[in-house]
Each structure stands twice: as C-alpha cells, then as structure tokens.
C-alpha cells in the first residue's frame, strides 16, 4: 500500500481551461488525473450530437488531453479517470485507442464504464412499475416520455474501482457521480470497504472539493483580490492517506490560491442539506467537517462522518419543453427608459395583433431592473439614464409563432422610438427549451458494465 496518493483535478466542466489537465500531469507528481465534463444539460447536448453523428456524443477534446499525457501515463504510471464518455463512451474509447496506437504505445489499457444510459429502456422500466416520478412535482415520466432527449443513471464509484482492479490506465465513463471519480482511487489503493461509511464519506467529500476544478483553488472566489495570479491558475490536488486523512493543495509555482476559505466555499457549493449529501455510495455529513490551513496552499480536511447509502440511484433526464426566443435593443439618452418601455409595449401589441401565442412574454430593462424585479415607476420613467437595453423574451409551444415574432425586432428600429441601436446578427430564431427531469430508480433495475480494451 502506498503511503499516500495524489489525485489531481484537471477539468471542472466541459469547456474548462484546455491546458489545465496537461499542466497537472506535467508540472509535478500526481498518481491520478480526474476530469469532470458533465452537467445535466451536457447530456442532452451530447445526445443531440450523437443523433446527428453516431460517432459523436462525448467530450471530443478529452482525446487531445489523453494524447498529450500519454508519456506520463506510460512512464510515470498516471491513471486518467473521466466521465468524458457522455452518452457515447465507446466512441471516445475508439478514438483514444486510435491515437495511442498511431503514436506507438502498446500495453495501454482503456476501460469503458457504461450502462447508465436508460433512454432506450424507458418503456420497459415503466412496464416493470418504475414510474420515475419527477422529484420536484411528482409527475410520472410517462407524461413526457415522447419528448425525452436523454435519461442517465448516476452510478457511483464501484464500476471505476472494478476498472482499476483490472489494470486500466484510462477509464472513460458515462454518467457517474462527480465525487465517484475521486473516491474510486482511494478505495482501490487503500482497500476501503464499501460499508466503512466514514471512509467512503471522506473520499466523497474529497471528490466534491475537486469536482469543480479551480473553484477550490482560487477561481470564482468571493475574496478574489487575495488571489495573486489568475493567469496561470493551479488546479487543486488532493493528497490522501489510507487512514482517511487528506490535504488539498496544488503544484508549486502555479497561480491561484488554496486556503481554508477557498475550500469552504467549494464545500458549500451545490450540497442541499449539509447533513445529508446523498450519493450512490454514501450519505455524507458536511456539518462535522473541520478545515485547517497547515501551510502555504495546503489545507487539511478532517472530521467527516458518513451514513449508509440509499437503495436508489438518481436519474437525470432531459426533455423538449417547447421553444424560446430572446432579443435586445439599446435605447440612448434622453428618455432612455421611457423609450425602451414603449418599444417593448409596441412589440407586445404587434404580437397580439398578429395572433401569436406565447406561454410567456417577459420584459427587462438592463441598466434599470435587469438584475431585479423592480417595477417601472413614474419616477423611474422621468430619470435620465445614459442608455437602457430592452430585452424581450418569449416562450411557447408553437415554434412558427416565435420565429414570426423574431421578424418584428428589426422593424422596430425605424417604426418605434428614436435613439435605438444594438441590433446585430440577423433575425433571432426560436430554440429548443431543454427541461430537466430528476427522478429515482431502484438500484436493482440497472447494472453498470465495465469493459477493458488493450493495445497489443
């Protein structure tokens, strides 16, 4: 057993800094490089991509990352774990094997974790009595079944642990929990039992700290002025020990900041009930955590408690929920707000005269109430602003109505109040509204698959 392992975060979301994971592998010693690419909406985007091209549906820039760190994988034994596989992890695997083979790397083992995509099984699951009720309003998924774009189970860390036990160098998953990417190496290296819930909670919280990339090492930090160097921001690294002790740090010589406060802010990010952070592996208790700075850019996290996991997986589904369209125009002084309000009023009345049907017609006036619901008062109308951006947005079920409304924006320039600018990019077009559907599914209803591929 190793004295400790270093797990480095290389990506907090799909579109994060392209050079961050490469820097993590090359600027200092690490054992594992973990990269989180998936958000709820990302799965629906990837599903649409795969519908257009069956070879897509994954984070294609991940292949380039692996290509750049192949020397470290081969020579230093770094293992790469990522959910970049999205809705098509096998296609991602094929590209990585192709690149590695072309560069002459043999013996490389690439594992695929899938089975999380249940979109094609929805009818069967419903027939077996799994209603997949919306966790917010209780509706069964059958009510929007025909509009579904994606449906994925959040697996925990266990299939990744299995892949590591099979000697995988690169592990590509579909939808697994963000925290599971970090927890799995700890279980694999230290032999933690799945029912040692305090230890499993420790690995889960370490994963939570790493999952958003540089957000725990100075990025998006409230006290941002304390961060001396954002240009070369260092991504966080967890240094973990078999007894459950771990530290958060980063490579020496990199920018950013790891402090008690940067770690605490990340700990509070997207957790819901802090006493019950529910994952497929454990329920972690954040209320017992202690955070202590033990050196420059080094923070110790202790006091973590865990409770038994639940009998269900969370399902993240997305579906088409109509269409939306938004447009803006800018009105200048004098009477900027008064002119912007009149412009929106004209658009609304013209839409009514055309018989266009919307679910919502929203009006905002950036520079006055764009960040609030402040009402338009007589006093405000008589206040002089340098400029006001009028923003109108509509939503509805009839795409043609929204597109027809989009044809009304540019004409307002010459048929409405004066002093208007800011129109560019052509007529706005209606776009799909992708809605989120959270649900629960009995763990026995679905099984993760682990397959290992090797270059001879």
């Amino acid at each position: 057993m190793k004295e400790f392992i270093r797990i480095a975060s290389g990506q907090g979301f799909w579109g994060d800094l392209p050079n961050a994971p490469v820097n993590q592998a090359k600027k200092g010693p690490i054992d594992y490089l973990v990269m989180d690419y998936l958000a709820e909406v990302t799965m629906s985007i990837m599903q649409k991509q795969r519908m257009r091209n069956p070879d897509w549906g994954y984070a294609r820039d991940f292949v380039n990352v692996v290509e750049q760190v192949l020397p470290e994988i081969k020579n230093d034994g770094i293992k790469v774990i990522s959910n970049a596989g999205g809705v098509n992890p096998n296609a991602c695997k094929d590209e990585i094997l192709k690149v590695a083979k072309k560069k002459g790397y043999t013996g490389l083992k690439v594992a695929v974790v899938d089975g999380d995509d249940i979109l094609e099984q929805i009818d069967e699951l419903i027939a077996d009595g799994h209603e997949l009720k919306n966790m917010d309003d209780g509706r069964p998924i059958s009510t929007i079944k025909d509009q579904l774009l994606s449906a994925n189970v959040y697996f925990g860390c266990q299939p990744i642990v299995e892949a590591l036990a099979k000697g995988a160098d690169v592990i590509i998953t579909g939808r697994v929990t963000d925290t599971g990417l970090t927890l799995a190496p700890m279980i694999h290296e230290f032999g933690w039992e799945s029912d040692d819930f305090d230890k499993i909670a420790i690995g889960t919280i370490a994963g939570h700290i790493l999952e958003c990339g540089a957000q725990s090492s100075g990025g998006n930090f409230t006290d941002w002025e304390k961060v001396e160097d954002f240009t070369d921001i260092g991504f966080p690294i967890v240094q973990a020990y078999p007894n459950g002790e771990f530290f958060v740090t980063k490579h020496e010589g990199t920018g950013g900041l790891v402090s008690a406060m940067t770690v605490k802010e990340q700990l509070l990010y997207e957790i819901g009930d802090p006493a019950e952070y529910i994952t497929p592996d454990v329920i972690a208790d954040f209320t017992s955590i202690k955070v202590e700075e033990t050196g420059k850019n080094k923070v110790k996290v202790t006091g973590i408690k865990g409770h038994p996991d639940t009998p269900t997986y969370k399902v993240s589904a997305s579906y088409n929920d109509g269409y939306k369209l938004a447009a803006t125009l800018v009105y200048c002084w004098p009477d900027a707000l008064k002119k912007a309000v009149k412009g929106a009023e004209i658009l609304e009345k013209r839409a009514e005269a055309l018989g266009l049907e919307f679910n919502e017609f929203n009006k905002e006036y950036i520079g006055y109430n764009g960040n609030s619901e402040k009402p338009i008062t007589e006093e405000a109308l008589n206040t002089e602003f340098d400029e006001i951006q009028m923003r109108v947005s509509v939503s509805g079920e009839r795409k043609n109505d929204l597109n027809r409304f989009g044809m009304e924006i540019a004409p307002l320039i010459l048929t409405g109040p004066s002093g208007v600018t800011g129109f560019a990019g052509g007529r706005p077009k209606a776009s799909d509204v992708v809605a989120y559907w959270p649900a629960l599914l009995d763990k026995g209803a679905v099984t993760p698959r682990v397959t290992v591929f090797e270059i001879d």
Side-chain angles (χ1 to χ4, degrees):
M1 184 183 297
K2 294 178 181 177
E3 179 187 355
F4 61 84
I5 58 172
R6 297 182 183 91
I7 306 170
S9 168
Q11 198 87 171
F13 63 95
W14 191 17
D16 208 347
L17 282 176
N19 62 342
V22 179
N23 287 340
Q24 289 286 64
K26 296 182 182 294
K27 287 194 172 184
I30 62 171
D31 301 288
Y32 291 86
L33 177 63
V34 298
M35 285 176 278
D36 175 27
Y37 282 87
L38 301 182
E40 284 72 15
V41 71
T42 311
M43 300 301 287
S44 62
I45 293 170
M46 290 179 168
Q47 193 71 263
K48 285 184 175 182
Q49 289 183 344
R50 189 174 68 172
M51 290 168 65
R52 291 195 298 268
N53 185 330
D55 293 329
W56 292 356
Y58 62 93
R60 298 196 298 278
D61 46 349
F62 173 68
V63 177
N64 181 257
V65 170
V66 174
E67 181 178 4
Q68 292 183 74
V69 301
L70 279 171
E72 285 70 29
I73 294 172
K74 182 71 174 179
N75 301 325
D76 302 332
I78 291 175
K79 294 184 181 293
V80 178
I81 305 172
S82 178
N83 56 17
V87 300
N88 203 353
N90 276 291
C92 184
K93 170 263 300 177
D94 290 343
E95 287 301 308
I96 287 172
L97 290 176
K98 187 187 301 181
V99 166
K101 189 172 184 178
K102 183 178 179 180
K103 288 186 169 290
Y105 286 88
T106 59
L108 183 75
K109 291 185 177 181
V110 179
V112 169
V113 174
D114 62 359
D116 59 293
D117 189 344
I118 59 170
L119 185 62
E120 300 300 321
Q121 301 169 243
I122 293 297
D123 286 334
E124 180 184 340
L125 290 168
I126 292 173
D128 288 342
H130 302 286
E131 294 186 87
L132 294 169
K133 292 181 179 179
N134 188 298
M135 294 171 66
D136 295 325
D137 58 28
R139 289 179 295 156
I141 203 167
S142 57
T143 60
I144 52 94
K145 181 173 66 71
D146 294 338
Q147 286 79 49
L148 280 171
L149 295 170
S150 66
N152 295 80
V153 173
Y154 280 81
F155 287 138
C157 71
Q158 288 304 325
I160 304 175
V161 175
E162 181 182 340
L164 289 169
K166 292 180 177 180
D169 301 297
V170 178
I171 300 174
I172 306 162
T173 79
R175 201 39 163 140
V176 300
T177 57
D178 307 342
T179 57
L181 303 175
T182 297
L183 172 59
M186 296 186 188
I187 293 176
H188 171 69
E189 294 281 358
F190 304 145
W192 292 349
E193 297 294 334
S194 60
D195 60 355
D196 187 344
F197 297 114
D198 285 348
K199 292 273 182 61
I200 302 303
I202 286 167
T204 296
I205 287 174
H208 178 72
I209 291 170
L210 290 185
E211 70 182 54
C212 293
Q215 190 160 282
S216 60
S217 57
N220 197 25
F221 181 39
T222 299
D223 296 328
W224 61 272
E225 289 181 298
K226 294 180 179 179
V227 181
E228 295 180 2
D229 179 11
F230 281 108
T231 305
D232 184 31
I233 191 166
F235 274 46
I237 297 170
V238 160
Q239 186 169 306
Y241 292 79
N243 64 359
E245 184 175 84
F246 76 86
F247 298 82
V248 185
T249 184
K250 63 183 185 67
H251 284 317
E252 289 187 18
T254 59
L257 172 69
V258 176
S259 70
M261 289 307 298
T262 65
V263 172
K264 286 178 180 179
E265 286 195 8
Q266 175 58 30
L267 282 170
L268 294 173
Y269 180 71
E270 289 185 342
I271 62 169
D273 183 348
E276 293 188 341
Y277 182 73
I278 301 173
T279 78
D281 303 303
V282 73
I283 298 175
D285 182 358
F286 281 62
T287 64
S288 59
I289 296 175
K290 293 180 174 58
V291 178
E292 175 190 3
E293 290 184 22
T294 60
K296 184 178 181 181
N297 292 309
K298 191 171 185 180
V299 171
K300 186 177 182 179
V301 183
T302 57
I304 297 166
K305 298 295 181 182
H307 306 287
D309 55 305
T310 68
T312 56
Y313 286 123
K314 183 179 178 182
V315 173
S316 175
S318 64
Y319 65 100
N320 274 325
D321 191 24
Y323 304 91
K324 63 181 179 180
L325 180 147
T328 62
L329 290 174
V330 176
Y331 290 89
C332 70
W333 174 92
D335 299 324
L337 181 59
K338 191 179 293 185
K339 290 186 287 190
V341 170
K342 176 57 71 173
E345 177 188 314
I346 293 168
L347 287 174
E348 190 165 16
K349 287 183 177 180
R350 287 179 180 172
E352 291 174 1
L354 289 166
L356 305 182
E357 295 184 8
F358 308 129
N359 293 339
E360 291 183 291
F361 189 111
N362 296 310
K363 298 163 285 189
E364 297 174 280
Y365 305 99
I366 316 301
Y368 172 69
N369 68 355
N371 293 320
S372 70
E373 296 182 359
K374 194 161 48 172
I376 303 296
T377 63
E378 194 64 33
E379 180 183 359
L381 290 172
N382 291 313
T383 300
E384 290 296 355
F385 298 90
D386 289 339
E387 63 181 21
I388 294 289
Q389 183 186 65
M390 175 200 73
R391 182 180 188 274
V392 293
S393 58
V394 292
S395 64
E397 307 300 322
R398 298 166 62 167
K399 187 175 184 178
N400 288 340
D401 280 11
L402 272 67
N403 283 332
R404 178 63 185 85
F405 178 72
M407 297 169 68
E408 295 295 312
I409 307 301
L412 188 62
I413 297 171
L414 298 184
T415 63
S418 63
V420 61
T421 186
F423 183 80
R427 290 172 177 165
K429 300 289 186 182
S431 59
D432 295 335
V433 173
V434 177
Y436 178 52
W437 188 278
L440 298 176
L441 178 64
D442 292 340
K443 285 181 175 176
V446 63
T447 303
R449 293 187 297 264
V450 179
T451 313
V452 178
F453 304 83
E454 183 174 0
I455 301 176
D456 297 327

